[in-house]
Amino acid sequence: MKRLFILIFGSLLLFLNGCTTEPIQPYQPTSSSLSERTVEESGVAVALDPFIESGRTKQYFNIDAVADGIAILHVRVTNKTADQTFLVEKKGFQLLPAGTTGGLTGDGKNIERPQTGTATLAGVGVLFALNGVAGIGSAMTMLVGESKSTEIQRNATSKEMGDATLSPGKSMEGFIYFTPVKQGADWTRTAIVKINLTETRTQKVIEFNVPLSH
């Protein structure tokens, strides 16, 4: 009887676990978002699409990033040159309050201390930390919670933009995450994104400053 109970209980846990780990919807934009901002400099086009609607962050990340104070930014970089190659790195992206000229960023692994009002680049560990197992409950509740958090982390990692060398005629895209921003607010209204890309042959840095507000 005891063995039968264990088998039934274990099967129930696996069933509930499976019910809570359905894949989060992939992000495959078919057209430009109304919030997307596009700039071009020295033959490189950069499109930025801030996720400022809770509905979109829940749909593609299974979190309310707006309420949690996380800025999610979709980035697409296109190299339109015929003979230049560019190094694109997450640490080259800064989210800054409008009117400022500098700030500190990190690469998601070694986050530096930000200046007042400046959001730092954050790795997916931020999303995982904010969506871990909540509270104390039964073994069943904890298992379901951990499974959900693992799926959120896996999804965010798979969507995160990686560092890459962008060859002529090629494009790359993905998400980057910043924290902290004001919780529950439209963080784009007073923000600019500063971007530095490096031309690999000359080591010349190309700088973009993109206001996110309408």
Side-chain angles (χ1 to χ4, degrees):
M1 178 65 68
K2 181 178 180 181
R3 182 180 178 185
L4 178 61
F5 173 79
I6 292 173
L7 289 174
I8 294 174
F9 182 69
S11 299
L12 180 60
L13 287 178
L14 290 174
F15 173 76
L16 291 175
N17 183 35
C19 291
T20 60
T21 56
E22 294 181 2
I24 301 171
Q25 186 171 337
Y27 183 68
Q28 297 176 333
T30 56
S31 60
S32 298
S33 167
L34 293 176
S35 57
E36 185 175 275
R37 300 288 177 266
T38 303
V39 294
E40 187 170 335
E41 179 71 35
S42 301
V44 180
V46 179
L48 305 176
D49 185 10
F51 275 43
I52 54 175
E53 306 89 357
S54 294
R56 277 216 294 176
T57 69
K58 291 177 181 178
Q59 180 179 5
Y60 297 111
F61 295 93
N62 201 17
I63 62 170
D64 188 345
V66 179
D68 289 337
I70 303 171
I72 297 180
L73 188 67
H74 183 263
V75 178
R76 183 173 63 257
V77 184
T78 304
N79 183 355
K80 296 184 176 182
T81 70
D83 57 359
Q84 292 179 289
T85 299
F86 295 89
L87 179 61
V88 183
E89 299 178 285
K90 292 190 294 294
K91 68 180 182 181
F93 289 76
Q94 295 183 31
L95 182 64
L96 305 172
T100 62
T101 57
L104 302 177
T105 64
D107 60 3
K109 297 179 181 178
N110 184 23
I111 299 174
E112 300 175 6
R113 185 178 300 277
Q115 296 175 347
T116 302
T118 302
T120 62
L121 190 64
V124 296
V126 172
L127 302 181
F128 179 67
L130 290 174
N131 291 275
V133 180
I136 300 175
S138 65
M140 185 184 302
T141 302
M142 292 183 67
L143 178 60
V144 171
E146 289 173 356
S147 178
K148 179 179 178 181
S149 295
T150 299
E151 176 61 18
I152 289 171
Q153 184 184 35
R154 184 209 61 77
N155 170 72
T157 301
S158 68
K159 289 184 168 88
E160 187 177 26
M161 187 185 79
D163 298 342
T165 301
L166 195 61
S167 302
K170 300 297 184 179
S171 296
M172 61 180 291
E173 63 181 284
F175 288 91
I176 56 177
Y177 316 106
F178 296 89
T179 190
V181 294
K182 187 175 180 181
Q183 294 179 338
D186 180 356
W187 48 271
T188 66
R189 291 182 178 179
T190 59
I192 64 171
V193 177
K194 180 180 178 181
I195 307 166
N196 288 327
L197 306 181
T198 304
E199 203 281 319
T200 58
R201 180 174 58 84
T202 63
Q203 293 298 301
K204 178 182 178 181
V205 176
I206 300 175
E207 182 177 306
F208 301 80
N209 289 281
V210 189
L212 294 179
S213 61
H214 292 281

